[in-house]
Amino acid sequence: MNITLDNISKAYRNVKALDGVTCRFQGGEIFGLLGPNGAGKTTLIRSMLDILRPDSGSIAFDGQPISGAVKRRIGYLPEERGLYRKQKIHEILEYLAMLKGLTFKEARKRTKDYLVRFEMLDQAKRKVEELSKGNQQKIQIIGALLHEPELLIFDEPFSGLDPVNMRLLKDFIINLKNEGRAIILSTHQMNQVEELCGHVIMVNRGRVVLDGRLDEVKRSFSDSAVW
């Protein structure tokens, strides 16, 4: 999947959250989306998800405007938790999978498969509120992956994970890239960007201020730059 944003602008009253943003994301690549709080990253992501509509500009997925069919090809992990705390894990995941168009049989099988891959099968019948913060994060990650999307948008995915699970997720993200998926990683952790991303896009005050290959960006800074 190739995603092109062309001259996107979005304002909230007198505040311009996005101001003529143009950038491109493509399959088989991990993109680091960087910027301080309030830079416009969340508005950019929500515009790509069709949660918000830009005031001007266009967003195209493989040359086509966003539609219901396109949205089913996208997986999104928000920074905020969005799980039903009183529900059992397998029930939530099966429900999320069916929302993306899977049959109940497919949803049940895929839920089991992903719980195995994330070493969570023994937790399947527990309620979300009984899990640690890190395991809740793993469930939310699985929820974004169940329909096997072509574009994955991860907002601070490593939050709450211990080093072992952090490594598990990193390896999984790399595998997704190798399968040809397009991955957007929004994070404040520069070490994660350097380890995983081949391309970085930095937004500040609603504008793209940096867009390029990570190795080229690093070379363009002085020897005193910190990465």
Side-chain angles (χ1 to χ4, degrees):
M1 176 183 276
N2 295 314
I3 308 96
T4 303
L5 288 77
D6 185 16
N7 203 27
I8 296 295
S9 292
K10 177 68 178 178
Y12 304 105
R13 294 188 179 181
N14 297 324
V15 177
K16 245 189 176 175
L18 297 176
D19 188 6
V21 170
T22 295
C23 56
R24 183 172 180 268
F25 304 95
Q26 62 188 28
E29 187 76 87
I30 303 173
F31 294 80
L33 181 60
L34 309 173
N37 291 333
K41 300 190 304 298
T42 299
T43 300
L44 180 61
I45 289 171
R46 290 178 178 174
S47 297
M48 294 174 65
L49 295 167
D50 202 34
I51 296 172
L52 296 174
R53 295 286 174 88
D55 298 328
S56 60
S58 63
I59 303 175
F61 295 80
D62 290 335
Q64 301 296 318
I66 194 164
S67 63
V70 167
K71 285 189 277 188
R72 284 191 290 273
R73 297 164 64 192
I74 302 172
Y76 175 47
L77 173 72
E79 184 177 6
E80 306 85 3
R81 293 230 157 48
L83 301 173
Y84 301 104
R85 296 182 58 80
K86 300 290 183 182
Q87 292 296 114
K88 293 180 180 179
I89 291 166
H90 74 92
E91 293 173 341
I92 293 174
L93 293 175
E94 289 162 3
Y95 172 67
L96 293 174
M98 287 189 288
L99 285 179
K100 288 292 187 177
L102 276 69
T103 66
F104 176 70
K105 184 177 180 180
E106 291 170 334
R108 173 160 283 190
K109 181 182 185 304
R110 205 167 287 180
T111 292
K112 182 178 179 181
D113 290 344
Y114 274 90
L115 286 172
V116 168
R117 295 171 78 176
F118 278 83
E119 301 174 358
M120 290 286 293
L121 186 60
D122 60 336
Q123 309 288 314
K125 294 186 178 181
R126 296 185 68 186
K127 295 180 180 179
V128 170
E129 64 183 2
E130 298 171 354
L131 301 180
S132 66
K133 182 179 178 181
N135 281 339
Q136 288 185 29
Q137 181 73 345
K138 287 169 72 175
I139 295 304
Q140 191 141 300
I141 290 166
I142 293 171
L145 296 169
L146 282 169
H147 60 297
E148 300 187 345
E150 296 170 52
L151 167 65
L152 287 136
I153 303 173
F154 292 124
D155 195 349
E156 298 292 351
F158 302 105
S159 175
L161 297 182
D162 60 35
V164 172
N165 284 312
M166 197 175 291
R167 184 71 263 166
L168 177 69
L169 179 57
K170 286 178 182 178
D171 291 343
F172 198 87
I173 289 174
I174 291 170
N175 287 337
L176 292 171
K177 180 203 75 169
N178 292 338
E179 291 172 1
R181 319 285 181 93
I183 300 158
I184 300 172
L185 178 62
S186 179
T187 180
H188 291 93
Q189 301 180 49
M190 294 302 298
N191 61 315
Q192 311 291 2
V193 171
E194 185 171 12
E195 183 177 352
L196 292 170
C197 300
H199 196 112
V200 293
I201 295 175
M202 183 175 288
V203 181
N204 190 32
R205 297 183 179 179
R207 295 185 176 185
V208 173
V209 296
L210 187 66
D211 184 351
R213 300 287 308 171
L214 179 61
D215 53 356
E216 295 170 354
V217 170
K218 290 172 70 174
R219 280 198 300 271
S220 69
F221 286 86
S222 69
D223 293 337
S224 62
V226 178
W227 285 86

mmCIF file of all heavy atoms in Angstrom, residues 148-184:
data_model
loop_
_atom_site.group_PDB
_atom_site.id
_atom_site.type_symbol
_atom_site.label_atom_id
_atom_site.label_comp_id
_atom_site.label_asym_id
_atom_site.label_seq_id
_atom_site.Cartn_x
_atom_site.Cartn_y
_atom_site.Cartn_z
ATOM 1 N N GLU A 148 -4.954 -8.347 9.823
ATOM 2 C CA GLU A 148 -3.754 -8.386 8.986
ATOM 3 C C GLU A 148 -3.735 -7.235 7.980
ATOM 4 O O GLU A 148 -3.737 -7.439 6.759
ATOM 5 C CB GLU A 148 -3.629 -9.753 8.300
ATOM 6 C CG GLU A 148 -3.524 -10.860 9.348
ATOM 7 C CD GLU A 148 -3.226 -12.230 8.759
ATOM 8 O OE1 GLU A 148 -3.370 -12.396 7.532
ATOM 9 O OE2 GLU A 148 -2.841 -13.116 9.537
ATOM 10 N N PRO A 149 -3.687 -6.007 8.507
ATOM 11 C CA PRO A 149 -3.748 -4.818 7.646
ATOM 12 C C PRO A 149 -2.477 -4.608 6.845
ATOM 13 O O PRO A 149 -1.400 -5.100 7.192
ATOM 14 C CB PRO A 149 -3.947 -3.680 8.660
ATOM 15 C CG PRO A 149 -3.324 -4.198 9.922
ATOM 16 C CD PRO A 149 -3.610 -5.670 9.935
ATOM 17 N N GLU A 150 -2.606 -3.823 5.780
ATOM 18 C CA GLU A 150 -1.459 -3.486 4.934
ATOM 19 C C GLU A 150 -0.748 -2.238 5.433
ATOM 20 O O GLU A 150 0.439 -2.057 5.184
ATOM 21 C CB GLU A 150 -1.924 -3.273 3.495
ATOM 22 C CG GLU A 150 -2.508 -4.521 2.856
ATOM 23 C CD GLU A 150 -3.174 -4.201 1.533
ATOM 24 O OE1 GLU A 150 -2.517 -3.560 0.677
ATOM 25 O OE2 GLU A 150 -4.344 -4.570 1.348
ATOM 26 N N LEU A 151 -1.479 -1.349 6.100
ATOM 27 C CA LEU A 151 -0.910 -0.162 6.725
ATOM 28 C C LEU A 151 -1.140 -0.259 8.223
ATOM 29 O O LEU A 151 -2.266 -0.473 8.674
ATOM 30 C CB LEU A 151 -1.565 1.112 6.184
ATOM 31 C CG LEU A 151 -1.294 2.401 6.972
ATOM 32 C CD1 LEU A 151 0.192 2.778 6.915
ATOM 33 C CD2 LEU A 151 -2.153 3.553 6.447
ATOM 34 N N LEU A 152 -0.052 -0.098 8.993
ATOM 35 C CA LEU A 152 -0.147 -0.140 10.454
ATOM 36 C C LEU A 152 0.359 1.172 11.022
ATOM 37 O O LEU A 152 1.458 1.627 10.678
ATOM 38 C CB LEU A 152 0.679 -1.298 11.007
ATOM 39 C CG LEU A 152 0.058 -2.663 10.750
ATOM 40 C CD1 LEU A 152 1.094 -3.651 10.292
ATOM 41 C CD2 LEU A 152 -0.635 -3.161 12.002
ATOM 42 N N ILE A 153 -0.460 1.776 11.869
ATOM 43 C CA ILE A 153 -0.079 3.026 12.531
ATOM 44 C C ILE A 153 0.016 2.752 14.027
ATOM 45 O O ILE A 153 -0.991 2.448 14.677
ATOM 46 C CB ILE A 153 -1.098 4.141 12.251
ATOM 47 C CG1 ILE A 153 -1.253 4.352 10.737
ATOM 48 C CG2 ILE A 153 -0.675 5.440 12.927
ATOM 49 C CD1 ILE A 153 -2.360 5.322 10.365
ATOM 50 N N PHE A 154 1.223 2.820 14.559
ATOM 51 C CA PHE A 154 1.471 2.560 15.972
ATOM 52 C C PHE A 154 1.809 3.866 16.672
ATOM 53 O O PHE A 154 2.793 4.530 16.328
ATOM 54 C CB PHE A 154 2.651 1.595 16.152
ATOM 55 C CG PHE A 154 2.406 0.198 15.672
ATOM 56 C CD1 PHE A 154 3.237 -0.386 14.730
ATOM 57 C CD2 PHE A 154 1.353 -0.543 16.169
ATOM 58 C CE1 PHE A 154 3.028 -1.686 14.294
ATOM 59 C CE2 PHE A 154 1.126 -1.845 15.738
ATOM 60 C CZ PHE A 154 1.959 -2.413 14.802
ATOM 61 N N ASP A 155 1.023 4.243 17.675
ATOM 62 C CA ASP A 155 1.275 5.453 18.457
ATOM 63 C C ASP A 155 1.824 5.038 19.818
ATOM 64 O O ASP A 155 1.091 4.494 20.649
ATOM 65 C CB ASP A 155 -0.024 6.256 18.604
ATOM 66 C CG ASP A 155 0.218 7.680 19.079
ATOM 67 O OD1 ASP A 155 1.356 7.988 19.498
ATOM 68 O OD2 ASP A 155 -0.726 8.484 19.052
ATOM 69 N N GLU A 156 3.108 5.262 20.042
ATOM 70 C CA GLU A 156 3.809 4.874 21.280
ATOM 71 C C GLU A 156 3.541 3.395 21.624
ATOM 72 O O GLU A 156 3.043 3.081 22.702
ATOM 73 C CB GLU A 156 3.404 5.780 22.443
ATOM 74 C CG GLU A 156 3.742 7.240 22.246
ATOM 75 C CD GLU A 156 5.241 7.528 22.245
ATOM 76 O OE1 GLU A 156 6.027 6.620 22.566
ATOM 77 O OE2 GLU A 156 5.605 8.673 21.915
ATOM 78 N N PRO A 157 3.883 2.472 20.739
ATOM 79 C CA PRO A 157 3.540 1.056 20.964
ATOM 80 C C PRO A 157 4.304 0.387 22.100
ATOM 81 O O PRO A 157 3.857 -0.628 22.616
ATOM 82 C CB PRO A 157 3.907 0.411 19.619
ATOM 83 C CG PRO A 157 4.992 1.276 19.071
ATOM 84 C CD PRO A 157 4.606 2.668 19.470
ATOM 85 N N PHE A 158 5.454 0.930 22.499
ATOM 86 C CA PHE A 158 6.278 0.267 23.510
ATOM 87 C C PHE A 158 5.928 0.696 24.933
ATOM 88 O O PHE A 158 6.570 0.253 25.884
ATOM 89 C CB PHE A 158 7.758 0.537 23.228
ATOM 90 C CG PHE A 158 8.182 0.082 21.860
ATOM 91 C CD1 PHE A 158 8.400 0.994 20.843
ATOM 92 C CD2 PHE A 158 8.320 -1.270 21.574
ATOM 93 C CE1 PHE A 158 8.770 0.585 19.578
ATOM 94 C CE2 PHE A 158 8.687 -1.698 20.309
ATOM 95 C CZ PHE A 158 8.906 -0.768 19.312
ATOM 96 N N SER A 159 4.922 1.535 25.075
ATOM 97 C CA SER A 159 4.520 2.020 26.387
ATOM 98 C C SER A 159 4.095 0.865 27.297
ATOM 99 O O SER A 159 3.217 0.070 26.959
ATOM 100 C CB SER A 159 3.358 3.007 26.238
ATOM 101 O OG SER A 159 2.874 3.419 27.488
ATOM 102 N N GLY A 160 4.740 0.761 28.453
ATOM 103 C CA GLY A 160 4.368 -0.249 29.446
ATOM 104 C C GLY A 160 5.001 -1.609 29.248
ATOM 105 O O GLY A 160 4.804 -2.495 30.075
ATOM 106 N N LEU A 161 5.759 -1.803 28.164
ATOM 107 C CA LEU A 161 6.351 -3.113 27.893
ATOM 108 C C LEU A 161 7.694 -3.265 28.593
ATOM 109 O O LEU A 161 8.506 -2.333 28.612
ATOM 110 C CB LEU A 161 6.533 -3.316 26.387
ATOM 111 C CG LEU A 161 5.272 -3.327 25.518
ATOM 112 C CD1 LEU A 161 5.656 -3.587 24.066
ATOM 113 C CD2 LEU A 161 4.278 -4.371 26.003
ATOM 114 N N ASP A 162 7.943 -4.460 29.130
ATOM 115 C CA ASP A 162 9.252 -4.743 29.712
ATOM 116 C C ASP A 162 10.224 -5.070 28.572
ATOM 117 O O ASP A 162 9.820 -5.221 27.409
ATOM 118 C CB ASP A 162 9.160 -5.883 30.731
ATOM 119 C CG ASP A 162 8.658 -7.187 30.120
ATOM 120 O OD1 ASP A 162 8.978 -7.477 28.943
ATOM 121 O OD2 ASP A 162 7.940 -7.933 30.818
ATOM 122 N N PRO A 163 11.529 -5.150 28.856
ATOM 123 C CA PRO A 163 12.509 -5.369 27.780
ATOM 124 C C PRO A 163 12.253 -6.619 26.940
ATOM 125 O O PRO A 163 12.478 -6.604 25.723
ATOM 126 C CB PRO A 163 13.835 -5.475 28.553
ATOM 127 C CG PRO A 163 13.623 -4.649 29.779
ATOM 128 C CD PRO A 163 12.179 -4.872 30.144
ATOM 129 N N VAL A 164 11.777 -7.706 27.561
ATOM 130 C CA VAL A 164 11.529 -8.935 26.804
ATOM 131 C C VAL A 164 10.400 -8.725 25.802
ATOM 132 O O VAL A 164 10.515 -9.079 24.610
ATOM 133 C CB VAL A 164 11.197 -10.106 27.759
ATOM 134 C CG1 VAL A 164 10.750 -11.331 26.962
ATOM 135 C CG2 VAL A 164 12.401 -10.442 28.624
ATOM 136 N N ASN A 165 9.295 -8.143 26.254
ATOM 137 C CA ASN A 165 8.168 -7.918 25.355
ATOM 138 C C ASN A 165 8.458 -6.807 24.342
ATOM 139 O O ASN A 165 7.929 -6.820 23.232
ATOM 140 C CB ASN A 165 6.915 -7.591 26.159
ATOM 141 C CG ASN A 165 6.318 -8.834 26.793
ATOM 142 O OD1 ASN A 165 6.148 -9.845 26.129
ATOM 143 N ND2 ASN A 165 6.010 -8.773 28.079
ATOM 144 N N MET A 166 9.315 -5.868 24.726
ATOM 145 C CA MET A 166 9.730 -4.840 23.785
ATOM 146 C C MET A 166 10.480 -5.469 22.610
ATOM 147 O O MET A 166 10.256 -5.136 21.453
ATOM 148 C CB MET A 166 10.607 -3.815 24.504
ATOM 149 C CG MET A 166 10.763 -2.510 23.764
ATOM 150 S SD MET A 166 11.698 -1.291 24.736
ATOM 151 C CE MET A 166 10.518 -0.960 26.045
ATOM 152 N N ARG A 167 11.356 -6.414 22.920
ATOM 153 C CA ARG A 167 12.103 -7.111 21.877
ATOM 154 C C ARG A 167 11.162 -7.944 21.005
ATOM 155 O O ARG A 167 11.315 -8.000 19.778
ATOM 156 C CB ARG A 167 13.155 -8.008 22.522
ATOM 157 C CG ARG A 167 14.090 -8.744 21.578
ATOM 158 C CD ARG A 167 15.059 -7.782 20.911
ATOM 159 N NE ARG A 167 14.635 -7.367 19.575
ATOM 160 C CZ ARG A 167 15.170 -6.348 18.925
ATOM 161 N NH1 ARG A 167 16.126 -5.635 19.477
ATOM 162 N NH2 ARG A 167 14.733 -6.028 17.725
ATOM 163 N N LEU A 168 10.177 -8.588 21.633
ATOM 164 C CA LEU A 168 9.190 -9.383 20.898
ATOM 165 C C LEU A 168 8.449 -8.509 19.894
ATOM 166 O O LEU A 168 8.279 -8.890 18.725
ATOM 167 C CB LEU A 168 8.204 -10.015 21.883
ATOM 168 C CG LEU A 168 7.038 -10.824 21.290
ATOM 169 C CD1 LEU A 168 7.554 -12.108 20.657
ATOM 170 C CD2 LEU A 168 6.018 -11.157 22.385
ATOM 171 N N LEU A 169 8.020 -7.332 20.329
ATOM 172 C CA LEU A 169 7.279 -6.439 19.440
ATOM 173 C C LEU A 169 8.174 -5.887 18.340
ATOM 174 O O LEU A 169 7.750 -5.782 17.183
ATOM 175 C CB LEU A 169 6.643 -5.298 20.241
ATOM 176 C CG LEU A 169 5.856 -4.279 19.424
ATOM 177 C CD1 LEU A 169 4.751 -4.949 18.615
ATOM 178 C CD2 LEU A 169 5.277 -3.199 20.330
ATOM 179 N N LYS A 170 9.395 -5.526 18.668
ATOM 180 C CA LYS A 170 10.317 -5.022 17.649
ATOM 181 C C LYS A 170 10.525 -6.058 16.540
ATOM 182 O O LYS A 170 10.489 -5.727 15.352
ATOM 183 C CB LYS A 170 11.658 -4.657 18.284
ATOM 184 C CG LYS A 170 11.635 -3.385 19.105
ATOM 185 C CD LYS A 170 13.001 -3.126 19.739
ATOM 186 C CE LYS A 170 12.973 -1.882 20.595
ATOM 187 N NZ LYS A 170 14.280 -1.632 21.276
ATOM 188 N N ASP A 171 10.748 -7.303 16.943
ATOM 189 C CA ASP A 171 10.937 -8.363 15.948
ATOM 190 C C ASP A 171 9.695 -8.532 15.094
ATOM 191 O O ASP A 171 9.779 -8.763 13.874
ATOM 192 C CB ASP A 171 11.285 -9.684 16.642
ATOM 193 C CG ASP A 171 12.673 -9.674 17.277
ATOM 194 O OD1 ASP A 171 13.492 -8.799 16.920
ATOM 195 O OD2 ASP A 171 12.937 -10.526 18.149
ATOM 196 N N PHE A 172 8.535 -8.402 15.716
ATOM 197 C CA PHE A 172 7.279 -8.553 14.986
ATOM 198 C C PHE A 172 7.114 -7.416 13.981
ATOM 199 O O PHE A 172 6.702 -7.648 12.829
ATOM 200 C CB PHE A 172 6.102 -8.573 15.965
ATOM 201 C CG PHE A 172 4.850 -9.145 15.383
ATOM 202 C CD1 PHE A 172 4.611 -10.506 15.423
ATOM 203 C CD2 PHE A 172 3.912 -8.332 14.773
ATOM 204 C CE1 PHE A 172 3.459 -11.048 14.867
ATOM 205 C CE2 PHE A 172 2.760 -8.859 14.213
ATOM 206 C CZ PHE A 172 2.542 -10.226 14.273
ATOM 207 N N ILE A 173 7.440 -6.204 14.380
ATOM 208 C CA ILE A 173 7.330 -5.055 13.481
ATOM 209 C C ILE A 173 8.268 -5.216 12.290
ATOM 210 O O ILE A 173 7.901 -4.926 11.140
ATOM 211 C CB ILE A 173 7.623 -3.748 14.252
ATOM 212 C CG1 ILE A 173 6.464 -3.439 15.215
ATOM 213 C CG2 ILE A 173 7.829 -2.581 13.284
ATOM 214 C CD1 ILE A 173 6.717 -2.248 16.126
ATOM 215 N N ILE A 174 9.475 -5.687 12.539
ATOM 216 C CA ILE A 174 10.425 -5.915 11.449
ATOM 217 C C ILE A 174 9.899 -6.969 10.482
ATOM 218 O O ILE A 174 10.012 -6.835 9.261
ATOM 219 C CB ILE A 174 11.796 -6.320 12.018
ATOM 220 C CG1 ILE A 174 12.428 -5.122 12.745
ATOM 221 C CG2 ILE A 174 12.731 -6.813 10.909
ATOM 222 C CD1 ILE A 174 13.652 -5.464 13.545
ATOM 223 N N ASN A 175 9.287 -8.024 11.018
ATOM 224 C CA ASN A 175 8.690 -9.055 10.160
ATOM 225 C C ASN A 175 7.573 -8.485 9.297
ATOM 226 O O ASN A 175 7.430 -8.839 8.112
ATOM 227 C CB ASN A 175 8.157 -10.212 11.006
ATOM 228 C CG ASN A 175 9.264 -11.081 11.580
ATOM 229 O OD1 ASN A 175 10.373 -11.115 11.055
ATOM 230 N ND2 ASN A 175 8.973 -11.772 12.669
ATOM 231 N N LEU A 176 6.759 -7.595 9.890
ATOM 232 C CA LEU A 176 5.687 -6.957 9.121
ATOM 233 C C LEU A 176 6.256 -6.137 7.972
ATOM 234 O O LEU A 176 5.739 -6.162 6.842
ATOM 235 C CB LEU A 176 4.850 -6.059 10.042
ATOM 236 C CG LEU A 176 4.004 -6.763 11.097
ATOM 237 C CD1 LEU A 176 3.418 -5.743 12.071
ATOM 238 C CD2 LEU A 176 2.878 -7.569 10.465
ATOM 239 N N LYS A 177 7.330 -5.427 8.236
ATOM 240 C CA LYS A 177 7.987 -4.655 7.173
ATOM 241 C C LYS A 177 8.478 -5.582 6.068
ATOM 242 O O LYS A 177 8.287 -5.309 4.874
ATOM 243 C CB LYS A 177 9.158 -3.867 7.751
ATOM 244 C CG LYS A 177 9.909 -3.027 6.710
ATOM 245 C CD LYS A 177 11.317 -2.704 7.135
ATOM 246 C CE LYS A 177 12.209 -3.921 6.999
ATOM 247 N NZ LYS A 177 13.652 -3.608 7.149
ATOM 248 N N ASN A 178 9.085 -6.693 6.463
ATOM 249 C CA ASN A 178 9.618 -7.641 5.483
ATOM 250 C C ASN A 178 8.518 -8.290 4.652
ATOM 251 O O ASN A 178 8.777 -8.777 3.543
ATOM 252 C CB ASN A 178 10.455 -8.709 6.183
ATOM 253 C CG ASN A 178 11.730 -8.146 6.783
ATOM 254 O OD1 ASN A 178 12.207 -7.090 6.368
ATOM 255 N ND2 ASN A 178 12.285 -8.834 7.775
ATOM 256 N N GLU A 179 7.303 -8.308 5.173
ATOM 257 C CA GLU A 179 6.154 -8.835 4.435
ATOM 258 C C GLU A 179 5.581 -7.803 3.462
ATOM 259 O O GLU A 179 4.629 -8.097 2.734
ATOM 260 C CB GLU A 179 5.063 -9.278 5.410
ATOM 261 C CG GLU A 179 5.433 -10.508 6.226
ATOM 262 C CD GLU A 179 4.418 -10.805 7.324
ATOM 263 O OE1 GLU A 179 3.411 -10.050 7.429
ATOM 264 O OE2 GLU A 179 4.613 -11.781 8.072
ATOM 265 N N GLY A 180 6.127 -6.599 3.487
ATOM 266 C CA GLY A 180 5.672 -5.563 2.568
ATOM 267 C C GLY A 180 4.658 -4.596 3.135
ATOM 268 O O GLY A 180 4.088 -3.785 2.391
ATOM 269 N N ARG A 181 4.405 -4.660 4.452
ATOM 270 C CA ARG A 181 3.450 -3.726 5.055
ATOM 271 C C ARG A 181 4.075 -2.336 5.177
ATOM 272 O O ARG A 181 5.289 -2.198 5.306
ATOM 273 C CB ARG A 181 3.030 -4.189 6.449
ATOM 274 C CG ARG A 181 2.776 -5.673 6.607
ATOM 275 C CD ARG A 181 1.474 -6.153 6.007
ATOM 276 N NE ARG A 181 1.332 -7.588 6.235
ATOM 277 C CZ ARG A 181 0.693 -8.118 7.287
ATOM 278 N NH1 ARG A 181 0.158 -7.330 8.200
ATOM 279 N NH2 ARG A 181 0.604 -9.428 7.410
ATOM 280 N N ALA A 182 3.231 -1.311 5.175
ATOM 281 C CA ALA A 182 3.655 0.049 5.478
ATOM 282 C C ALA A 182 3.412 0.293 6.962
ATOM 283 O O ALA A 182 2.311 0.038 7.465
ATOM 284 C CB ALA A 182 2.870 1.059 4.638
ATOM 285 N N ILE A 183 4.424 0.768 7.670
ATOM 286 C CA ILE A 183 4.329 0.923 9.118
ATOM 287 C C ILE A 183 4.724 2.340 9.503
ATOM 288 O O ILE A 183 5.785 2.833 9.105
ATOM 289 C CB ILE A 183 5.245 -0.082 9.847
ATOM 290 C CG1 ILE A 183 4.835 -1.509 9.477
ATOM 291 C CG2 ILE A 183 5.191 0.120 11.353
ATOM 292 C CD1 ILE A 183 5.918 -2.525 9.686
ATOM 293 N N ILE A 184 3.859 3.009 10.253
ATOM 294 C CA ILE A 184 4.133 4.343 10.773
ATOM 295 C C ILE A 184 4.278 4.225 12.283
ATOM 296 O O ILE A 184 3.361 3.768 12.972
ATOM 297 C CB ILE A 184 3.014 5.331 10.413
ATOM 298 C CG1 ILE A 184 2.873 5.439 8.892
ATOM 299 C CG2 ILE A 184 3.277 6.699 11.029
ATOM 300 C CD1 ILE A 184 1.672 6.254 8.441
#
